[in-house]
Every structure is written in C-alpha cells, then in structure tokens.
C-alpha cells in the first residue's frame, strides 16, 4: 500500500524522496512560488507542498500525486514539508462548480453536500474520531470478556415501547389503496406485521443468559418526528447485557465504559480533539478530562425531582413533577447546574419506563438508570431486567401487552432465570459528546431524520 500523509509527516526530514497522494485543500501563489496543501484524511493536518513555479491548471479539490523531497518546514505547525519536484493531476475539480471553496461553510450547507463534506477539516475529524471510538467499543468489551452478537434488524415485536416504529412491508400498498381493501398481513412477507428494530435488547438478553456477557453494536431505527439536535431516525446503538448482575453492576459498567472511550479518544485522537476544542466547543478537552477524574454522581429520580423543584420556576418551560418523564431541559439542568458533572439517575416511576425493567419493592419505581452528561443530557439508558416470571407477566398485563407474543422472552424467566442488566449507548450521542458537535446530523456520514434521507 502507498504511504499515507500521516506516515510521511512522521518521517525525519533528511531529504527523503517521497510521493504524496491526496486532494488539494488550498493553493496559494506568491511571486513565482506555489504553496499547495494536500490532504488524504489520514490526519487532521495535510502536507504543505512548495513548488518553485506557478500552477495555473491546479485548483482546490483536485486529486494529485506529488513527488518531491522532505525538508524541514519553517512553519511552526509542522516539522516537515515537501519541496515538490513533479506534479501529476489525477482528477481535476472545476473551480467554477466545485462547492467546497476556501471560505467557511455552514454545517447546514455541508449537509446538502454530504457526499463531499468529509473533505472538510471538521467532518474529516469527526469521521476519524468516530472510527476510533467504534474500535474502542470492541476493544473494551473484548478485554472484559464480552461476546459480540448480531441481533436482527427486522423484527415482529411491536410493543417494546422504545419509540415509534418504521413498518417493513412488501405488500403492494398502491394496489390495496386502489381496491380499497385493508392490508392482510398474513399475506405480507413474514406472514405478519414487521418493523425495523428500535433496540436489540430482548434478543441480547437471550444470549446473555447463555454466554453471560454479550453486547450488540448495530443500526437502530426510530420514527422520531421530533426535530431535535440529538435525535436521528437511524442511529447506531451499543447494548451490553450481562447476567448475574444488578443495577449497581450496570452503573459501574456504564461508568467504566464511558471513561475508557473518553480516555482512548483523548489519547489517540489528540490533534482532532484539540481542533474541536479550538473551533467547535471551547473548553472541550478540559470538560472531557474532568469526567475522567470524576466519580459519576448517583441520584434517584425522586431526589432529582426534589432538586428540580428547588430551582426557580422560570428555569423550565415544562414544570417538573413526580411521575412525568424528565425533559432534556431538566436533564441538562441537573447535570450542568446541580451536579456539574455526569449523573446516573435511577429508580424511575414504572409508568414512564418499559415493561421489562425490574420492579422495586415499593411497587412504584423500577430499577432503571439513565446516564446524563453536561452539554448533551441523556447519553445512556438502561436497567436491571425483571427476572421474576410472575411479576413480568403481571407488568405486561397492566400494559396490555400480549404475553403470547413474548413467549420466547418469558422462557428466559422460566428456565434458569438470573438477575441481569444492561444498557444502550447511542453511538452518535457519544461522538457528539466527544467532539462537541452541536447537531447529531453532523456526526454520522449520511443522517436520516424526519424529512431527510438524501444520498
Ligand atoms: P431520549 O429521551 O434522549 O429520546 P430515549 O429515552 O428514547 O432517549 P433509550 O430508549 O433509552 O432512549 O435508548 C438508549 C440510548 O439510545 C439513549 O440513551 C440515546 O443515547 C440513544 N438514542 C435514543 N434515541 C435516539 C435517537 N433518536 N437518535 C440517536 N440516539 C438515540
Ligand atoms: Mn427517545
């Protein structure tokens, strides 16, 4: 394989002959010299290539192969640069139409040209951090004895309650509409109604009760109509599930996992994170480092409501009351103003959580946990699962869920039931948190959100 620019930049500048390949980010002409910055995405920085003549035919965006000698650079930000000897333009980019010109573009504009935006400094850095974090997820679980499992993307269970579902069908809807017939899902591909999954948890539980420690890492779909900076319709979720574990074990795992991911990013993505700190979110590095040194605060939902009630009523547009789901404004108030650091909120009212969460002795609250972080709010949601067959069945009854449809899931409580727990970490929320990017649509290559599925 041909060397990457990041490897070339690390070479000693002892007049080595090298060939650089990449795309032109900028070109400056000064008297008879031309300074060309070439990037290949392997690092935040590109390599400066200096020609002793003008290059009228070369423009921003073109792909090039430049041969020359590495020499010490007079510029402060780089050790070496290329004294260029020859240039081959591999692919031109017409300056009259190439959309990525030197000026700063808005992220909204870049979303319209998502097929080219990875060539910008910011989106390139996001892609590298995202890739490193994905690998770190596997590293962490591998080190901790977890098995990576793949759960189905198409599902026929519709009552999990995590969010609105996308239906999957091969029925001819237009023909049905013309004939004014109601769809018969027995004639559909799977013989019943089917959907894109909102979570791999239930299937992960079945493997956790065989392999003890498992995790999933895959795409998840929610028809979230809410047009926020933290919600996508298609996102990636990491869901560890562990047997012989209670909520406390789950909280420890979540804290260790997040800290491992942050320290990996701080260590291996240092240049990219310094860039985000300078250009996207001031103080980002300090805030990430402070999380590493902190202990996550544990707070019950009930105590959290008490804290929120102490705040002046003008702090919120929606008044916090016991029994209501916390809004993002409440979550951020708790983590940014009350605790000033990550919080794990636990023991939510059963009415606002899913049927499978373990019921507490009070009969009112469940062993749920949400991890909240400053600047973002919820990053992780999880729980200890109900492992008692009778309790689980009666919870399902209360919620009008047909136990027949979940027979396989109930079997886990019939045969060799154990206390077990797990959580879901939204991968894009993590990337958002680590990079400081404001909008979740800018931390996934091709965002799918309400009204948006281009490319
Ligand atoms: P929120 O209240 O923020 O909408 P949720 O309570 O619906 O989240 P869970 O069902 O607990 O979320 O999902 C687990 C995790 O998946 C969340 O903590 C979050 O990190 C992530 N997540 C949930 N919904 C989305 C979404 N629409 N886009 C991106 N990530 C999401
Ligand atoms: Mn949601």
């Amino acid at each position: 394989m041909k060397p990457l620019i990041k490897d070339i930049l690390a070479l000693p500048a002892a007049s080595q002959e090298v060939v650089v390949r990449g795309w032109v980010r900028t070109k400056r002409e000064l008297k008879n010299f031309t300074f060309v910055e070439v990037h290949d995405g392997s690092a935040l920085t590109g390599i400066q290539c200096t020609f002793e003549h003008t290059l009228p035919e070369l423009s921003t965006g073109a792909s090039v192969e430049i041969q020359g000698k590495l020499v010490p650079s007079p510029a402060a930000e780089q050790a070496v640069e290329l004294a260029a000897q020859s240039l081959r333009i591999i692919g031109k980019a017409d300056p009259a139409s190439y959309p990525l010109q030197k000026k700063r573009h808005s992220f909204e504009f870049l979303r319209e040209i998502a097929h080219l935006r990875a060539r910008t400094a910011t989106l390139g850095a996001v892609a590298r951090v995202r890739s490193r974090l994905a690998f770190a997820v596997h590293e962490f679980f591998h080190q901790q004895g977890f098995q990576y499992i793949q759960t189905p993307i198409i599902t026929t269970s519709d009552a999990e309650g995590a969010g609105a579902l996308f239906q999957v069908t091969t029925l001819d809807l237009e023909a049905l509409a013309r004939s004014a017939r109601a769809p018969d899902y027995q004639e559909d591909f799977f013989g019943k109604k089917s959907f894109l999954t909102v979570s791999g948890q239930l299937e992960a539980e079945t493997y956790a009760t065989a392999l003890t420690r498992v995790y999933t890492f895959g795409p998840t779909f929610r028809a979230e109509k809410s047009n926020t900076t933290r919600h996508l319709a298609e996102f990636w979720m990491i869901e560890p599930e562990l047997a012989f574990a209670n909520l406390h074990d789950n909280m420890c795992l979540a804290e260790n996992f997040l800290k491992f991911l942050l320290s990996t990013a701080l260590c291996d993505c240092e240049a990219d994170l310094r860039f985000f700190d300078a250009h996207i979110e001031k103080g980002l590095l300090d805030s990430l480092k402070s999380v590493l040194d902190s202990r996550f605060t544990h707070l019950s939902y009930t105590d959290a409501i008490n804290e929120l009630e102490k705040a002046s009523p003008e702090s919120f547009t929606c008044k916090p009351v016991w029994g209501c789901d916390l809004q993002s404004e409440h979550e951020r108030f708790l983590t940014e103003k009350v605790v000033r650091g990550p919080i794990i909120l636990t023991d939510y009212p059963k009415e606002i959580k899913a049927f499978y969460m373990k019921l507490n002795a009070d009969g009112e609250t469940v062993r749920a946990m949400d991890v909240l972080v400053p600047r973002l709010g919820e990053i992780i949601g999880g729980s200890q699962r109900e492992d008692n067959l009778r309790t689980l069945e009666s919870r399902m009854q209360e919620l009008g869920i047909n136990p027949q449809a979940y027979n396989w899931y109930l079997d886990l409580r019939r045969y060799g039931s154990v206390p077990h727990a797990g959580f879901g970490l939204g991968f894009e929320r993590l990337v958002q948190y680590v990079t400081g990017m404001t909008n979740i649509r800018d931390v996934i290559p091709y965002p799918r959100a309400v009204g948006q599925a281009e490319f």
Side-chain angles (χ1 to χ4, degrees):
M1 270 186 298
K2 306 191 166 98
L4 292 168
I5 289 175
K6 82 173 162 72
D7 301 322
I8 293 174
L9 287 171
L11 294 172
S15 291
Q16 293 210 39
E17 290 264 350
V18 293
V19 180
V20 165
R21 292 171 191 84
W23 293 267
V24 174
R25 180 82 53 90
T26 59
K27 183 187 97 169
R28 275 182 309 124
E29 279 173 347
L30 199 70
K31 295 195 181 125
N32 267 343
F33 287 92
T34 309
F35 303 98
V36 181
E37 200 182 302
V38 179
H39 283 252
D40 69 355
S42 61
L44 181 69
T45 46
I47 187 163
Q48 163 114 322
C49 305
T50 310
F51 292 85
E52 294 185 356
H53 50 83
T54 56
L55 289 169
E57 72 282 19
L58 185 68
S59 62
T60 300
S63 51
V64 292
E65 192 174 78
I66 302 173
Q67 188 240 324
K69 270 188 179 158
L70 271 191
V71 293
S73 173
E77 34 331 326
Q78 61 203 15
V80 291
E81 61 178 50
L82 195 74
Q85 287 158 343
S86 68
L87 162 76
R88 187 162 79 86
I89 299 177
I90 300 172
K92 288 190 172 190
D94 182 357
S97 58
Y98 185 58
L100 283 176
Q101 293 306 326
K102 217 174 177 176
K103 72 179 182 92
R104 241 194 129 105
H105 298 290
S106 72
F107 290 125
E108 288 76 17
F109 170 72
L110 291 177
R111 255 170 252 147
E112 289 170 20
I113 51 160
H115 58 301
L116 295 171
R117 66 179 180 164
R119 297 185 185 190
T120 65
T122 309
L123 274 290
V126 167
R128 281 185 298 276
V129 172
R130 188 180 161 105
S131 170
R132 184 62 190 89
L133 285 170
F135 183 55
V137 166
H138 293 297
E139 278 179 309
F140 176 84
F141 288 121
H142 180 71
Q143 282 170 17
Q144 308 273 327
F146 283 72
Q147 309 294 334
Y148 173 35
I149 59 157
Q150 293 76 32
T151 50
I153 287 172
I154 299 175
T155 164
T156 52
S157 53
D158 62 348
E160 214 232 290
L165 298 147
F166 286 102
Q167 194 177 341
V168 174
T169 182
T170 53
L171 291 177
D172 187 342
L173 299 178
E174 281 166 28
L176 283 170
R178 277 195 301 275
S179 68
R181 273 196 301 132
D184 176 0
Y185 289 105
Q186 286 185 357
E187 287 171 15
D188 204 351
F189 192 91
F190 299 105
K192 52 169 119 168
K193 250 184 163 173
S194 59
F195 308 91
L196 295 178
T197 184
V198 293
S199 155
Q201 179 204 315
L202 304 189
E203 291 88 352
E205 281 184 54
T206 67
Y207 267 62
T209 55
L211 301 175
T212 308
R213 292 180 200 169
V214 299
Y215 71 103
T216 70
F217 186 178
T220 320
F221 306 86
R222 296 188 188 178
E224 309 246 25
K225 282 267 170 60
S226 53
N227 211 335
T228 77
T229 55
R230 311 178 312 137
H231 289 92
L232 289 165
E234 175 180 296
F235 62 100
W236 287 64
M237 187 144 64
I238 299 141
E239 295 182 279
E241 190 71 35
L242 53 161
F244 308 101
N246 58 23
L247 194 68
H248 179 77
D249 302 314
N250 209 21
M251 291 196 280
C252 290
L253 180 70
E255 180 168 341
N256 292 339
F257 181 42
L258 275 182
K259 285 179 173 173
F260 178 86
L261 296 171
L262 297 190
S263 69
T264 305
L266 283 166
C267 185
D268 283 6
C269 306
E270 205 200 333
D272 288 325
L273 293 195
R274 265 194 274 115
F275 171 85
F276 288 117
D277 191 305
H279 300 286
I280 301 293
E281 172 86 38
K282 297 262 174 297
L284 175 75
L285 284 173
D286 284 342
S287 101
L288 295 178
K289 283 178 190 153
S290 81
V291 170
L292 284 185
D293 300 330
S294 74
R295 296 232 21 186
F296 289 16
T297 301
H298 296 182
L299 197 66
S300 73
Y301 169 90
T302 305
D303 289 343
I305 293 286
N306 287 338
E307 286 295 334
L308 293 171
E309 280 171 345
K310 281 190 222 154
S312 75
E314 305 88 73
S315 312
F316 311 112
T317 49
C318 173
K319 193 171 171 270
V321 253
W322 201 98
C324 290
D325 208 354
L326 294 180
Q327 303 299 311
S328 159
E329 54 174 350
H330 305 135
E331 297 176 342
R332 292 194 56 173
F333 187 86
L334 289 166
T335 168
E336 287 166 14
K337 302 269 164 31
V338 179
V339 170
R340 292 170 192 273
I343 315 182
I344 310 188
L345 278 188
T346 60
D347 303 289
Y348 286 70
K350 63 177 178 188
E351 283 79 16
I352 58 173
K353 289 291 180 186
F355 73 95
Y356 50 70
M357 298 192 182
K358 186 158 182 69
L359 194 62
N360 278 320
D362 62 13
E364 291 295 322
T365 58
V366 288
R367 309 238 77 191
M369 64 169 215
D370 276 6
V371 180
L372 314 179
V373 289
R375 298 189 275 114
L376 187 70
E378 179 182 333
I379 191 165
I380 283 178
S383 66
Q384 185 175 337
R385 320 305 187 187
E386 185 56 73
D387 54 331
N388 180 288
L389 180 64
R390 298 280 162 264
T391 317
L392 186 55
E393 280 173 337
S394 71
R395 280 295 289 141
M396 293 174 82
Q397 229 145 39
E398 278 169 36
L399 293 166
I401 301 169
N402 175 14
Q404 228 31 60
Y406 288 88
N407 220 354
W408 58 273
Y409 185 68
L410 294 171
D411 267 356
L412 305 182
R413 282 76 183 164
R414 291 190 184 104
Y415 312 120
S417 188
V418 283
H420 62 288
F423 60 79
L425 166 68
F427 187 54
E428 285 72 22
R429 297 253 177 114
L430 170 75
V431 181
Q432 233 188 324
Y433 183 62
V434 171
T435 58
M437 294 295 287
T438 324
N439 197 317
I440 196 164
R441 297 173 199 208
D442 299 327
V443 300
I444 185 164
Y446 295 103
R448 270 80 180 96
V450 60
Q452 181 173 39
E454 296 310 313
F455 309 99

